[in-house]
Amino acid sequence: MFALVDCNSFYCSCERVFQPRLEGQPVVVLSNNDGCVVSRTIEAKARGIAMGEVWHLARPELKAGVHAFSSNYTLYGDLSRRVMATLRGFAHHIEVYSIDEAFLRYDIAADWTTLGREIRATVQRHTGIPVSVGFGPTKVLAKLANRLAKQREAHAGVFLWPTDPAAATALLETVPVGEVWGIGRRLSERLAPLGITTARALRDLDDATARRRLTVTGHRLVLELRGQSCLALEELAPPKQALCCARGFGTPLSTLDALGEPLATYVSRLAEKLRAQRQVAGYLQVFLETNPHAGVPQYCPSTGSTLPLPSNDSSRLAAVAAGLLRRIFRPGFSFRKVGVLVSDLSPESSMQLAFEAPPAEVLARRHTLMATMDRLNRDYGRGTVRLASAGNTAPVWKLRQARLSPCYTTSWESLLTVSA
């Protein structure tokens, strides 16, 4: 049996944990630069607020009485880790599927409804985050069961996929094919001419047509809908093939020096992730974006370079990125975003040295320096030690976060004070 545990309106629920007055109130969380709605509570949905709604363009009557927050990814990431740590106490096999979802696998029978209620109560007690739990014999059916657990109040957040074939068929008939995990809009359009508009019709698709129309991956989804488990639990995340960091600016930038600061900052973050994963990058790409909504000429260039020696050294990668930025920068444009992507990733232990590589003792000193910088930033906060090219701690290009809540669980300054 598989269980899918999904946090309800996760970002909004994180905000409610530390502000109980928001319970029962419409709450939304906005994307970078306070742009679009990326999370909303049931009360906000009832108001007619759509996912992806551009907040500053929303009708005043729609926003009246709604509590809107800037994305606080530090807080959400920490609460996610706490939720997943709690879930590990309920199963030996767990796949953290996303920041707010996890699959659990069970190899022996149990009272699934009672277990689901216990999971909900424990996660709520440990973290304050409400979750829904769906059980099914396959991952796809567990995903559908979780959807029904959220939609049907009578089930109180826990739903077990029925073992009775007639009941299962009736449920699949109510699910649009586009809502089946892994199908989506594009495959739905491909299936529509075949008359396949529901999950039941997809389940009943013959194997030959499924393989021809949906490839091997789509055929596995068909088999999963039939109750045949084809998608294994990924308990260990596969190694990353590429990493990217790109952020929109709070204020457009138009000079090379100004663009260099966020670029060096983003490169440093990627280098830190590479070191944490014990990987090195062999290719680095830099790109720029102007604002397509500004009604001015657009310029969105990109360029990349293969590194002679794969690296995860912040200063080395930053130097390469700065050279690429100079190559594509063009005066006269205001840029809203700069991004950097590293790829051709390989394990740090298997790195092959090039003829022009620095001496081994130099590389060892650089490795120690990077490890020390990571430790200081981990112990005293990100940005405590940083590259000089990354600029100061309050840059003009920083994301607009006018509605940002405190980092209650990761900052001493933001700890709540309780009086009795």
Side-chain angles (χ1 to χ4, degrees):
M1 182 68 73
F2 290 92
L4 177 65
V5 183
D6 186 12
C7 301
N8 301 340
S9 303
F10 180 57
Y11 292 173
C12 295
S13 294
C14 291
E15 300 293 347
R16 279 177 166 174
V17 168
F18 299 96
Q19 300 189 59
R21 64 182 178 83
L22 298 176
E23 287 294 336
Q25 300 292 316
V27 179
V28 299
V29 172
L30 307 177
S31 62
N32 291 341
N33 286 313
D34 295 343
C36 304
V37 173
V38 294
S39 181
R40 55 202 173 130
T41 60
I42 293 175
E43 296 81 5
K45 294 177 185 178
R47 283 286 194 92
I49 297 174
M51 184 66 79
E53 183 103 41
V54 180
W55 195 241
H56 77 278
L57 296 179
R59 303 188 310 275
E61 63 271 19
L62 195 66
K63 297 193 289 186
V66 177
H67 304 272
F69 293 89
S70 303
S71 294
N72 189 339
Y73 297 119
T74 302
L75 175 65
Y76 308 155
D78 186 61
L79 287 181
S80 172
R81 285 188 289 272
R82 297 177 187 222
V83 169
M84 301 308 165
T86 300
L87 294 179
R88 286 187 174 90
F90 285 96
H92 295 297
H93 308 285
I94 179 172
E95 174 190 339
V96 178
Y97 180 65
S98 67
I99 191 172
D100 62 345
E101 288 180 282
F103 284 101
L104 313 180
R105 194 190 77 208
Y106 297 94
D107 300 327
I108 57 174
D111 182 342
W112 303 116
T113 301
T114 300
L115 175 61
R117 290 170 181 166
E118 185 181 353
I119 290 173
R120 277 174 51 84
T122 305
V123 173
Q124 180 81 47
R125 185 170 64 251
H126 286 187
T127 67
I129 301 295
V131 300
S132 297
V133 187
F135 291 98
T138 70
K139 291 174 78 173
V140 170
L141 292 178
K143 188 86 169 176
L144 288 177
N146 184 278
R147 174 178 176 270
L148 294 169
K150 286 186 174 183
Q151 291 179 345
R152 303 188 176 190
E153 294 184 8
H155 295 286
V158 178
F159 189 84
L160 172 63
W161 191 259
T163 55
D164 177 58
T169 297
L171 282 177
L172 290 174
E173 187 67 41
T174 67
V175 179
V177 69
E179 295 186 12
V180 174
W181 184 41
I183 295 297
R185 181 182 59 83
R186 293 180 63 184
L187 283 180
S188 297
E189 294 173 351
R190 191 183 303 176
L191 292 168
L194 301 177
I196 299 173
T197 58
T198 67
R200 176 188 176 179
L202 180 62
R203 181 201 66 181
D204 297 339
L205 185 65
D206 67 274
D207 293 341
T209 304
R211 284 192 294 268
R212 185 173 67 255
R213 294 279 183 165
L214 304 174
T215 71
V216 173
T217 301
H219 183 224
R220 288 175 182 160
L221 299 181
V222 173
L223 296 177
E224 287 254 329
L225 288 173
R226 296 174 186 169
Q228 180 180 338
S229 180
C230 302
L231 303 176
L233 208 68
E234 295 184 1
E235 299 182 59
L236 294 176
K240 297 283 178 53
Q241 301 300 310
L243 294 172
C244 181
C245 187
R247 301 280 192 277
F249 304 137
T251 301
L253 305 178
S254 56
T255 67
L256 187 61
D257 289 342
L259 289 166
E261 287 190 9
L263 179 62
T265 301
Y266 301 163
V267 169
S268 296
R269 292 179 184 174
L270 291 185
E272 183 180 340
K273 289 183 179 180
L274 287 171
R275 293 191 293 270
Q277 298 168 187
R278 299 187 181 280
Q279 289 184 301
V280 290
Y283 186 82
L284 189 147
Q285 180 180 354
V286 172
F287 57 90
L288 292 168
E289 287 185 12
T290 49
N291 187 350
H293 307 293
V296 295
Q298 299 297 300
Y299 177 55
C300 303
S302 67
T303 188
S305 175
T306 299
L307 304 178
L309 178 67
S311 178
N312 57 20
D313 186 306
S314 297
S315 57
R316 174 173 166 76
L317 294 179
V320 174
L324 295 176
L325 177 64
R326 287 192 294 271
R327 185 188 303 176
I328 62 175
F329 174 76
R330 186 181 297 175
F333 292 92
S334 291
F335 297 97
R336 71 163 186 172
K337 180 185 291 186
V338 66
V340 58
L341 180 144
V342 290
S343 58
D344 190 16
L345 306 187
S346 58
E348 191 178 47
S349 57
S350 64
M351 185 175 67
Q352 298 291 322
L353 295 182
F355 286 112
E356 62 270 28
E361 58 271 18
V362 173
L363 291 175
R365 287 201 301 271
R366 296 295 307 177
H367 185 273
T368 301
L369 176 62
M370 292 296 108
T372 302
M373 184 168 72
D374 290 341
R375 186 175 66 254
L376 290 171
N377 287 332
R378 184 171 57 250
D379 293 345
Y380 297 100
R382 173 178 282 173
T384 300
V385 180
R386 60 188 183 278
L387 300 178
S389 55
N392 57 51
T393 56
V396 297
W397 49 266
K398 188 177 180 181
L399 290 174
R400 288 194 305 274
Q401 294 177 305
R403 305 167 184 266
L404 186 66
S405 56
C407 293
Y408 299 101
T409 63
T410 58
S411 170
W412 290 107
E413 292 77 13
S414 299
L415 283 177
L416 292 174
T417 300
V418 179
S419 302

